[in-house]
Amino acid sequence: MRKHILAIDQGTTSSRAIVFDEKMTIVAIGQKEFPQHFPASGWVEHDPEDLWETTVWSVKQALKKAKLKADAIAAIGITNQRETTVIWDKATGKAIHNAIVWQDRRTAAFCQKLKKKGLEPKFARKTGLLLDPYFSGTKMAWILDKVKGARRRAEKGELLAGTVDSFLIWRLTGGAVHATDATNASRTLVYNIVENRWDDELLDILRIPAAMLPEVKDCAADFGTTQKSLFGAEIPILGVAGDQQAATIGQACFKPGMMKSTYGTGCFALLNTGDAVVRSRNRLLSTIAYRLDGRTTYALEGSIFVAGAAVQWLRDGARMIARAADSGRLAAEADPAQDIYLVPAFVGLGAPHWDAEARGAIFGLTRGSGPAEFARAALESVAFQTRDLLTAMHRDWKAKGKATVLRVDGGMVASDWTMQRLADILDAPVDRPRILETTALGAAWLAGSRAGVWPGADAFAESWALERRFQPQMDEGTLKKKLAGWQDAVRRTLSQN
């Protein structure tokens, strides 16, 4: 009997594959980074072939490290960078343009044009999203407009479109399946999250042919099988979820009021709101947390575009640190008398500001400011932005009671200094789980439970284990001063003050 589960975690900077055993323990990991492309200011692209090739390589590497053949894998679960958009040739599987990444801001003017027409309330009511370049719909429209002959070919049924999960599914199944799941669909700006269907009116506004789009399935469903030629045996694909929703599942946030915050390239906080679509009055997003057995669970989401990317900037742009892991140690050495604020609006500001034109800024520099102070400012910027999200969520959720659980995951949470400062700035406990690979774990659980190898939701939730709880330690006066300084820095950074 096949007892192992394979999770494909296709992220913004690397592709990974993780093999789990029947006890939900990690057996082996394969991972490979790929290049980022920045063809213009605010533009971010990936070569879809890089996404595909690094994914296949990572799967083979994970199987090799685990000393397993493909026929030992019961199922594959896929999780992916959301909103990143690919359009490819139906006959060849080749993309007609580089993938436009979720961080990309090239469609800001188009979004502003739609807003001026008074269309944002319509999009928000149907999709739970705002008109922002972040989402997939305007990216699809841009490719169709800019690639010669693309719109004509799309209307003739020659092109397919989707988020990265659907592109990988198409490739893995040899073109047999064009599908996505409800969570990824809910991030496209053209999916009606109340009626659970592609919305013809929104597709018409963006001039996207409906025939291009994938079939939308539950998160745990049959997404076809991999071609035998890829890994040596056919493997069923039984689970799919966008990375932030997969992390929500992996953190076992199955009850309304539970919340997780993931710290990777960006930061994404999701609050489970049950079967109710909570309409934010504070410019948060209403989205699908997951859909299982035909039942949709919703969430409030706050999206921060730059979290770990601020540390990457310190390493690769400013060249103040040699390794990302050095940032916490360096921040601890910073002069406490210096109040430096980094507003990392490198690609605009996300929730709750949604300012696509804002750009990064640093305030409070002195002659004594050095790498340690920059490192602290970069890490604190993540905590301050999270505080802004939690404040907005509590305002929207106050009728139901505040979120009582904050579970964290992602690469940044391995730093004790960063998590302690997060608890200090939030003035709330922060729970770090024993298993930090929660995004891959969530995708694996979807596939493993569907395959009958792993337990159902209740038993899975009981298996969640706390590694450490960080309690706030900052005194009230210091916290108030820091929050006031941050709010002033953000105000100065916004494109329209």
Side-chain angles (χ1 to χ4, degrees):
M1 179 181 175
R2 298 185 180 195
K3 294 184 178 180
H4 290 81
I5 302 298
L6 177 73
I8 292 174
D9 183 355
Q10 202 300 299
T12 308
T13 58
S14 70
S15 298
R16 299 192 305 157
I18 302 180
V19 177
F20 294 85
D21 64 18
E22 70 272 23
K23 297 180 180 178
M24 298 184 285
T25 302
I26 293 175
V27 177
I29 300 176
Q31 180 170 356
K32 194 167 189 178
E33 292 189 2
F34 51 82
Q36 310 289 302
H37 302 282
F38 309 100
S41 177
W43 293 26
V44 190
E45 294 181 355
H46 293 153
D47 182 340
E49 294 305 314
D50 287 340
L51 305 184
W52 168 245
E53 291 169 5
T54 55
T55 295
V56 172
W57 185 93
S58 297
V59 170
K60 292 180 178 179
Q61 185 72 3
L63 290 172
K64 181 179 179 181
K65 286 184 176 180
K67 298 180 180 178
L68 294 172
K69 292 185 177 180
D71 59 10
I73 304 299
I76 289 175
I78 297 175
T79 183
N80 57 286
Q81 51 171 314
R82 304 174 306 170
E83 296 93 16
T84 296
T85 303
V86 188
I87 296 181
W88 65 95
D89 187 301
K90 186 176 182 179
T92 67
K94 295 288 186 179
I96 66 169
H97 188 276
N98 271 353
I100 302 181
V101 179
W102 57 272
Q103 297 165 310
D104 190 280
R105 314 305 289 166
R106 75 186 64 188
T107 63
F110 181 38
C111 291
Q112 196 60 36
K113 182 179 178 180
L114 295 172
K115 288 181 185 179
K116 287 182 178 179
K117 290 183 177 179
L119 292 171
E120 186 165 65
K122 183 187 296 289
F123 278 89
R125 184 177 70 255
K126 294 186 173 192
T127 71
L129 309 178
L130 301 173
L131 281 172
D132 187 87
Y134 177 28
F135 305 109
S136 309
T138 57
K139 293 175 168 63
M140 291 182 195
W142 188 94
I143 295 174
L144 291 175
D145 285 337
K146 299 299 182 181
V147 176
K148 186 177 180 180
R151 191 171 293 283
R152 176 184 54 79
R153 294 188 63 204
E155 290 170 351
K156 289 173 62 179
E158 297 176 3
L159 301 179
L160 299 177
T163 42
V164 172
D165 60 305
S166 58
F167 176 68
L168 293 180
I169 291 167
W170 178 264
R171 286 286 187 91
L172 288 167
T173 63
V177 178
H178 185 37
T180 188
D181 83 295
T183 68
N184 278 294
S186 75
R187 313 298 296 184
T188 60
L189 203 61
V190 289
Y191 188 73
N192 190 313
I193 64 171
V194 177
E195 299 178 5
N196 271 287
R197 61 173 179 82
W198 298 117
D199 193 284
D200 290 335
E201 183 181 15
L202 301 183
L203 289 170
D204 286 343
I205 292 172
L206 298 183
R207 298 176 61 217
I208 298 172
M212 297 179 71
L213 299 174
E215 177 187 358
V216 181
K217 297 173 176 278
D218 285 358
C219 299
D222 180 6
F223 292 88
T225 58
T226 64
Q227 287 186 293
K228 183 178 180 179
S229 59
L230 286 172
F231 310 119
E234 293 184 347
I235 308 172
I237 304 168
L238 299 182
V240 177
D243 53 8
Q244 303 313 317
Q245 283 90 343
T248 303
I249 294 166
Q251 289 278 33
C253 291
F254 293 130
K255 295 180 180 179
M258 295 184 73
M259 180 178 177
K260 73 89 197 176
S261 192
T262 298
Y263 297 92
T265 303
C267 164
F268 304 87
L270 268 75
L271 170 68
N272 185 320
T273 62
D275 59 4
V277 180
V278 174
R279 303 293 184 178
S280 175
R281 297 181 300 277
N282 296 280
R283 296 183 66 75
L284 298 176
L285 307 175
S286 304
T287 196
I288 293 177
Y290 48 84
R291 195 173 82 195
L292 299 172
D293 298 322
R295 295 181 59 186
T296 304
T297 297
Y298 296 94
L300 274 176
E301 177 175 336
S303 306
I304 296 169
F305 298 147
V306 174
V311 178
Q312 291 174 329
W313 171 77
L314 279 181
R315 182 191 66 189
D316 303 332
R319 299 191 178 184
M320 291 187 181
I321 57 175
R323 302 180 307 137
D326 295 336
S327 57
R329 174 191 56 77
L330 195 59
E333 299 172 1
D335 180 1
Q338 292 194 50
D339 291 318
I340 295 178
Y341 296 92
L342 167 64
V343 183
F346 303 135
V347 289
L349 285 173
H353 309 288
W354 294 107
D355 188 341
E357 302 304 321
R359 288 297 177 264
I362 300 172
F363 300 92
L365 295 178
T366 71
R367 286 286 299 273
S369 302
E373 287 71 34
F374 273 78
R376 186 185 64 191
L379 296 178
E380 284 188 337
S381 74
V382 177
F384 286 128
Q385 290 178 98
T386 305
R387 168 99 186 200
D388 290 346
L389 293 184
L390 262 66
T391 299
M393 284 183 170
H394 288 167
R395 288 172 180 160
D396 286 330
W397 188 246
K398 60 186 177 182
K400 301 278 188 178
K402 292 185 178 182
T404 55
V405 178
L406 177 60
R407 294 178 172 178
V408 296
D409 55 77
M412 295 186 77
V413 308
S415 166
D416 288 352
W417 189 93
T418 305
M419 290 302 98
Q420 182 57 56
R421 188 50 55 102
L422 177 63
D424 291 341
I425 298 299
L426 297 182
D427 194 26
V430 171
D431 286 357
R432 184 169 66 190
R434 193 171 295 166
I435 297 178
L436 294 180
E437 299 286 358
T438 53
T439 303
L441 180 64
W445 177 78
L446 290 169
S449 60
R450 174 84 176 180
V453 176
W454 285 14
D458 291 343
F460 177 69
E462 289 177 5
S463 72
W464 186 92
L466 177 70
E467 184 266 331
R468 179 174 173 182
R469 170 166 286 181
F470 295 86
Q471 296 282 7
Q473 298 175 357
M474 187 175 289
D475 66 86
E476 185 178 357
T478 301
L479 178 57
K480 283 185 176 180
K481 181 182 177 183
K482 281 186 168 291
L483 292 176
W486 168 254
Q487 290 159 5
D488 180 61
V490 171
R491 180 184 58 78
R492 293 171 184 234
T493 305
L494 294 172
S495 63
Q496 296 182 357
N497 290 305

